[in-house]
Amino acid sequence: MKTVSFTQMKDGTKEDYEFLTAHEIDHTKHTADRLLTALVELDKSLSGYQITRLGHSVQSATRAWRDGADIDWVVSALLHDIGDIYAPYNHDEYAATILKPFVREQCTWCVQTHGDFQMLYYGHHLDGFDQNKRERHRGNPYFDDCAEFCERWDQASFDPDYDDLPIAFFAPMVREVFDRKPYDPAVIRRGERVALTDAKVAAGR
């Protein structure tokens, strides 16, 4: 079989869907590589900053790595703006949806809401923007984590003179994360919080 027999899904057979499932499983094995390619495409994204969106992403991940962050935080920092090209009005939700099956709930929530938290730094300069938009999330157990994510890694990572690690350094981490079993409770760890920084780990990096 090279293609399915149907032109409408309701007419598919057991053999058709077994064939498709095998193809889909193989396709998912290459998700990390497709994301790394998409990350490079961020060089064609929004201009005007002193570094590209790819540079910002790599710099955010580099800062996370040097702070002793675990792999979930580092990969989340690397991919947090991956939606900039295709979802400019909800890039944070786009990135969070990609990460959600494979990283801790804590990290997904911070990526999903970081756009609201980032307004703290510029909202007061622009008409119609709410500098305190993040306050709508006050009371969430991950509120302080997202505030720290933005302060330490996101808003700080627009420096053309910072010594970024190359994207190739992070590629094995991305592959490790996206090779995980999706939605594994042992990975999602619903309700758990892990510190963004670890001084002992950072000292050894």
Side-chain angles (χ1 to χ4, degrees):
M1 183 183 291
K2 293 184 178 179
T3 65
V4 295
S5 63
F6 62 82
T7 58
Q8 298 185 65
M9 290 185 73
K10 64 184 179 182
D11 297 326
T13 65
K14 182 176 187 294
E15 291 74 18
D16 285 330
Y17 286 109
E18 287 177 343
F19 166 78
L20 287 176
T21 298
H23 273 271
E24 289 168 3
I25 290 171
D26 181 68
H27 184 73
T28 61
K29 293 177 182 178
H30 307 286
T31 299
D33 290 326
R34 287 190 292 273
L35 288 171
L36 290 165
T37 298
L39 197 62
V40 173
E41 289 290 304
L42 287 179
D43 260 347
K44 302 174 184 176
S45 184
L46 185 65
S47 60
Y49 294 94
Q50 293 189 45
I51 62 175
T52 68
R53 246 356 188 204
L54 172 60
H56 167 68
S57 299
V58 171
Q59 189 169 128
S60 299
T62 301
R63 292 181 187 276
W65 172 259
R66 290 177 177 156
D67 275 344
D70 72 6
I71 190 171
D72 284 33
W73 280 126
V74 173
V75 171
S76 295
L78 182 70
L79 299 180
H80 77 281
D81 278 346
I82 202 165
D84 269 1
I85 293 179
Y86 301 112
Y89 295 104
N90 62 335
H91 78 283
D92 42 10
E93 297 173 40
Y94 183 106
T97 297
I98 291 170
L99 288 162
K100 185 176 181 179
F102 301 102
V103 300
R104 206 164 43 253
E105 178 189 68
Q106 174 194 26
C107 299
T108 300
W109 190 88
C110 291
V111 171
Q112 182 174 330
T113 57
H114 81 269
D116 292 348
F117 280 69
Q118 285 289 87
M119 284 196 189
L120 180 71
Y121 304 106
Y122 69 88
H124 54 300
H125 294 301
L126 299 171
D127 293 337
F129 285 74
D130 180 6
Q131 181 185 16
N132 297 308
K133 191 174 181 180
R134 73 180 194 173
E135 291 303 313
R136 68 182 61 187
H137 305 293
R138 179 76 67 176
N140 187 283
Y142 305 134
F143 182 95
D144 290 341
D145 302 320
C146 192
E148 188 174 4
F149 178 97
C150 290
E151 177 66 21
R152 297 187 70 93
W153 304 335
D154 195 356
Q155 69 83 29
S157 295
F158 296 91
D159 184 355
D161 297 321
Y162 187 79
D163 181 23
D164 300 331
L165 291 165
I167 190 171
F169 177 83
F170 299 105
M173 299 182 216
V174 175
R175 294 189 178 100
E176 179 180 335
V177 164
F178 285 88
D179 278 346
R180 292 170 173 173
K181 178 183 176 182
Y183 297 107
D184 183 350
V187 169
I188 304 303
R189 297 166 62 181
R190 197 174 308 279
E192 291 187 35
R193 293 178 64 201
V194 173
L196 283 78
T197 64
D198 186 319
K200 290 183 179 179
V201 172
R205 290 180 172 174

